[in-house]
Amino acid sequence: MTQETVPVRTDDADPALAGRVRTALGAPDAGPLTVLEGGRSGLTYVLRDGGSGHVVKAVPPGRPARGRHDVLRQSRVLSALAGRGLPIPAVTARDEEAPAWFAMELAAGEAVEPVLDVDTDLSPRVARERMTRAAGVLGALHAVPLDALAQGVRTAGGELPDPATPHDELLRWEETMHAVPVELRPGSGDLLAALHADVPEAVAPVLVHGDFRLGNLLCDGLEPTALVDWEIWGIGDPRVDLGWFGVFTDGTLFPGVGRVVPGLPSEDELGELYRAAGGTQPQTPWFRALARMKMAAIMGHNLRRHREGRHHDPVQEQLPPTIAALIDSGRDLLAGGAP
């Protein structure tokens, strides 16, 4: 079947892309290609075909396939992880012709961040159990042998990136922090100086998701079904993922935009669950502080973009107290003022 044989539908969000996807999937009668709300890595759509469905990620037309728009890079790590017992959506099609795209199975479930999705009715019991199981997923993810991962990525047409050290991670997010106006990041200079003063030695590198949290893990009831949003995956220090995940256990870090959810595992408990599932590294104050700096930098950058009119989102105006709280918490951790 050629692309020209697939009829154009007026209800597709992108008729040209929809025709390519239906052809590659061999599904000319699939439903309309619709925008998936919340997708941020490139353009994200859903295509339903009878009882099944596909999530389609595409490079925006005219944009280079770099950074978060390099959707094929995401597809290759997903292909490499297939068959390992992890909740990873299966890649169902891939097309390198510009604008590139790939499709993966639409998994059942919902992705809820308990401390930030304040309007959800997710019970504390379910939130705790999901977070507990997610810690096991992270441990198993970090236990994937890199040689096997490299072979899988090569088979899918890519190569593993060079490992990033803790110092590399610090420099990466420090650059984001420095792009935030000084008045929006009080105390950040002290936090950055403290982080630079005591950078840990790197440990054996692993596959790092880069944004591992419940908001990126679909769950059907209590069962994890799909770990998504792989736009910043890399090879690096496992404590980067572990520290980042821990930020989302504490609603007090998000005043005005988050909430305290009783019964969530502590960061120490998450670390224990993680190691029981194959993870080898403990929680440390430095990586916890790094994660808080990273979150403050990302939020500050988003607020800046809103105020400059590059992405209108009035909700961003609620972030200054949270940015300050994250920075203060990071400074306390490195000063020994918090566990």
Side-chain angles (χ1 to χ4, degrees):
M1 179 185 295
T2 63
Q3 183 169 323
E4 287 72 24
T5 65
V6 178
V8 174
R9 298 179 52 143
T10 59
D11 52 356
D12 286 322
D14 183 332
L17 175 63
R20 295 171 64 191
V21 173
R22 291 193 185 96
T23 296
L25 293 173
D29 298 323
L33 185 76
T34 59
V35 174
L36 178 63
E37 297 299 331
R40 292 182 173 84
S41 47
L43 301 174
T44 308
Y45 305 94
V46 171
L47 185 77
R48 299 183 186 275
D49 181 22
S52 63
H54 306 266
V55 174
V56 179
K57 289 184 173 288
V59 178
R63 298 291 296 273
R66 292 198 299 265
R68 67 190 182 92
H69 295 313
D70 189 355
V71 298
L72 294 183
R73 180 178 181 274
Q74 300 166 42
S75 76
R76 291 173 183 130
V77 74
L78 293 175
S79 292
L81 290 170
R84 294 195 165 273
L86 291 160
I88 303 296
V91 174
T92 53
R94 181 187 292 114
D95 189 349
E96 298 192 11
E97 180 182 343
W101 60 272
F102 81 96
M104 58 185 167
E105 65 178 350
L106 176 63
E110 60 179 358
V112 176
E113 194 64 71
V115 300
L116 289 179
D117 292 338
V118 296
D119 294 328
T120 182
D121 58 0
L122 192 71
S123 74
R125 180 190 69 82
V126 172
R128 175 182 172 81
E129 183 61 27
R130 286 185 181 180
M131 190 165 278
T132 296
R133 297 191 185 196
V137 171
L138 184 60
L141 183 72
H142 287 173
V144 173
L146 284 190
D147 56 351
L149 181 73
Q151 180 58 50
V153 170
R154 281 194 295 270
T155 299
E159 295 288 342
L160 290 188
D162 293 333
T165 67
H167 188 244
D168 293 331
E169 285 288 326
L170 173 56
L171 293 178
R172 176 183 187 177
W173 298 108
E174 180 181 40
E175 182 178 4
T176 303
M177 182 69 86
H178 282 162
V180 178
V182 174
E183 65 272 14
L184 296 180
R185 49 182 177 93
S188 61
D190 291 340
L191 173 55
L192 289 168
L195 286 165
H196 275 288
D198 193 23
V199 180
E201 292 293 326
V203 298
V206 301
L207 170 62
V208 175
H209 180 272
D211 193 10
F212 188 92
R213 54 190 179 88
L214 282 186
N216 284 330
L217 183 64
L218 273 68
C219 293
D220 188 6
L222 301 179
E223 189 66 27
T225 58
L227 179 59
V228 299
D229 281 2
W230 286 83
E231 61 187 77
I232 59 172
W233 74 270
I235 305 301
D237 196 302
R239 296 169 291 183
V240 170
D241 269 346
L242 187 58
W244 180 251
F245 188 23
V247 169
F248 300 91
T249 66
D250 186 359
T252 65
L253 294 174
F254 303 95
V257 297
R259 62 177 178 177
V260 173
V261 178
L264 287 185
S266 67
E267 289 184 86
D268 286 333
E269 187 178 356
L270 278 187
E272 294 170 2
L273 294 165
Y274 159 81
R275 289 189 294 279
T280 59
Q281 298 300 319
Q283 284 276 18
T284 73
W286 193 90
F287 284 94
R288 292 178 181 179
L290 175 71
R292 286 155 170 77
M293 186 274 285
K294 172 181 172 181
M295 175 58 82
I298 291 171
M299 287 185 162
H301 191 260
N302 289 342
L303 176 56
R304 174 191 170 183
R305 292 178 68 236
H306 161 69
R307 289 187 174 179
E308 292 178 347
R310 289 188 285 160
H311 179 68
H312 180 68
D313 183 4
V315 173
Q316 303 296 327
E317 292 294 344
Q318 302 175 19
L319 293 179
T322 283
I323 295 169
L326 288 161
I327 292 171
D328 286 345
S329 177
R331 293 165 63 191
D332 287 344
L333 282 163
L334 295 179

